[in-house]
Amino acid sequence: MRTAVVVGAGIGGLATAGALARSGWQVTLLERDDRVRADRTALVLWPNGVRALRALGLGDGLAAIATPLPDVGVRRPDGHWLVQPRPGLAERAPVVVHREDLHDALVAGLGDRVEIRTGFEVRTVRFADGDRPAVGDGRGSYEADLVVAADGIDSAVRRRLAPEAAVVSSGCAAWRAVIPWYRAPQLPPDRPVDGETLGAGYRFVAVSLGDRGSSGASTRGGIYWVATAAGASRPESPATQLGLLRRWFANWPAPIGDLLAATEPEDLVQQEVRELRPLPRSYGFPAGTGGVVLLGDSAHAMPHHLGQGACLALEDAATLRSLVREAIPGVPLREAVESYSRLRRPRTVTVVRQTRRMSAVLQARGRLALRARDAALGTITPRLLGSAASAAAQWRPPE
């Protein structure tokens, strides 16, 4: 029986555990928290993420929980267009899903070959050529032919195997919330919800999650918004943070003020935006009968500006499943671990580079910098977003 340990029960970890189990592996899923749960926010899935879900056998129910996103363009805080909406890109259009809906679908796909252990925080990693890899928490340990580190940007496994990858601040913080439809403001037709507004070190994006009064698009519908501000995360209470957001975005165009007014402190989820610099030199480490792989944010954490974090994690999972589906412990599995790194690292390096370029554009501050950005954004952003969208649309899981 081939065995795997997956560390971390986020989107990437759940997707990988279920995919391996459906391929005949016996899987132990380790989660640091006391239970497996999702944030009460939403996320955007680009075509590559959708395609990865389908490759993992989890695409059938996606239509029931996903809402297509139109191209909404980008405005300045004074309401003028920086980038006009660009119709006709339906094949590259992303969808938005509530994280709890996606989480439920991934948990439902685990099956009976996955054993879940919560409250397990990895403190030790055994990695030696003569032994099967193993992880421990100081009280016990789990060993397997394959260890998958899907334990996020602060991955204990990555710190052991790729100490060159440092966690650094991206220079901004983000706040997310989903306003349920019963509390969402009723907006007139000339004030659409969907939109992106970009200012001096600030950004606000809002999208509809399902349709008001409809139970078909999402079981947890509403209006999802993300606000980004340059600087460190805030230590104050959620109520105080929400007050700050209302003040920062007070004079921005509608419906931003309406959305913040309808948001309650318990809706708010703050995120310190961090990234890995440099990326690990490898994502696969052969050892014993197989080895260890890095997956998701443990391998390539990046700012959220292009919405590719979850998508790349699902790509990782789909690629790994394809490579190890028929691999037996020993030389074949070790070679699959090496192939995973060869396939995934160049891909993620490209997307991370695009994300960092967008980060520099979004965080421009100062009068001269803003003038230069606004003058160039109409050219730079479509080209950059078009490049990112093309990369997202063109990815295919390995055969």
Side-chain angles (χ1 to χ4, degrees), residues 191 262 267 272 318:
R191 291 163 65 184
D267 300 327
E272 180 186 7

Side-chain angles (χ1 to χ4, degrees), residues 361-386:
V361 171
L362 296 177
Q363 295 186 49
R365 305 182 75 177
R367 183 175 299 178
L368 292 178
L370 287 172
R371 285 180 179 175
R373 183 203 65 188
D374 290 356
L377 194 60
T379 301
I380 294 174
T381 302
R383 185 168 67 245
L384 181 54
L385 289 177

Side-chain angles (χ1 to χ4, degrees), residues 340-352:
Y340 170 82
S341 185
R342 285 198 303 270
L343 286 174
R344 294 307 300 155
R345 196 175 185 283
R347 161 72 172 165
T348 59
V349 165
T350 298
V351 176
V352 168

Side-chain angles (χ1 to χ4, degrees), residues 58-326:
L58 298 168
D60 290 344
L62 187 60
I65 62 174
T67 304
L69 295 184
D71 188 300
V72 294
V74 183
R75 291 183 183 271
R76 295 189 314 200
D78 61 8
H80 288 86
W81 287 108
L82 284 170
V83 181
Q84 293 276 355
R86 295 165 299 155
L89 295 178
E91 74 280 2
R92 297 179 183 175
V95 298
V96 60
V97 297
H98 200 291
R99 283 182 177 269
E100 291 178 329
D101 286 338
L102 182 58
H103 174 269
D104 289 349
L106 294 174
V107 170
L110 290 178
D112 57 6
R113 286 180 176 267
V114 178
E115 180 184 16
I116 301 175
R117 288 283 183 262
T118 58
F120 190 98
E121 182 173 2
V122 172
R123 299 183 183 277
T124 62
V125 180
R126 189 182 73 197
F127 181 77
D129 193 52
D131 300 315
R132 294 203 303 172
V135 293
D137 66 350
R139 297 171 297 177
S141 64
Y142 291 90
E143 67 173 34
D145 300 309
L146 178 67
V147 171
V148 179
D151 47 344
I153 190 171
D154 295 310
S155 169
V157 181
R158 186 198 64 247
R159 288 198 301 268
R160 165 70 171 82
L161 299 181
E164 72 278 3
V167 179
V168 299
S169 172
S170 298
C172 60
W175 290 263
R176 306 171 188 268
V178 173
I179 309 170
W181 281 125
Y182 72 88
R183 279 200 283 109
Q186 292 276 2
L187 301 174
D190 62 339
R191 291 163 65 184
V193 168
D194 298 337
E196 176 177 351
T197 309
L198 183 61
Y202 296 88
R203 183 191 192 195
F204 196 97
V205 180
V207 296
S208 300
L209 187 60
D211 298 320
R212 190 187 296 269
S214 171
S215 60
S218 172
T219 61
R220 298 178 175 93
I223 299 174
Y224 171 53
W225 61 257
V226 183
T228 307
S233 58
R234 306 293 302 200
E236 298 91 347
S237 68
T240 301
Q241 293 175 29
L242 184 56
L244 288 171
L245 290 169
R246 289 169 177 166
R247 188 177 74 195
W248 292 339
F249 295 96
N251 297 318
W252 286 42
I256 293 174
D258 301 286
L259 298 180
L260 290 173
T263 303
E264 297 181 355
E266 55 266 28
D267 300 327
L268 207 60
V269 177
Q270 182 182 205
Q271 174 193 5
E272 180 186 7
V273 183
R274 299 178 296 158
E275 59 190 281
L276 292 178
R277 282 183 181 257
L279 295 179
R281 287 189 289 267
S282 177
Y283 294 164
F285 305 86
T289 54
V292 182
V293 298
L294 305 180
L295 186 145
D297 280 352
S298 72
H300 41 71
M302 70 191 80
H304 61 282
H305 305 311
L306 291 180
Q308 281 293 318
C311 294
L312 289 182
L314 292 171
E315 284 187 24
D316 292 343
T319 302
L320 183 64
R321 173 185 180 271
S322 177
L323 293 172
V324 306
R325 181 168 44 195
E326 304 296 335

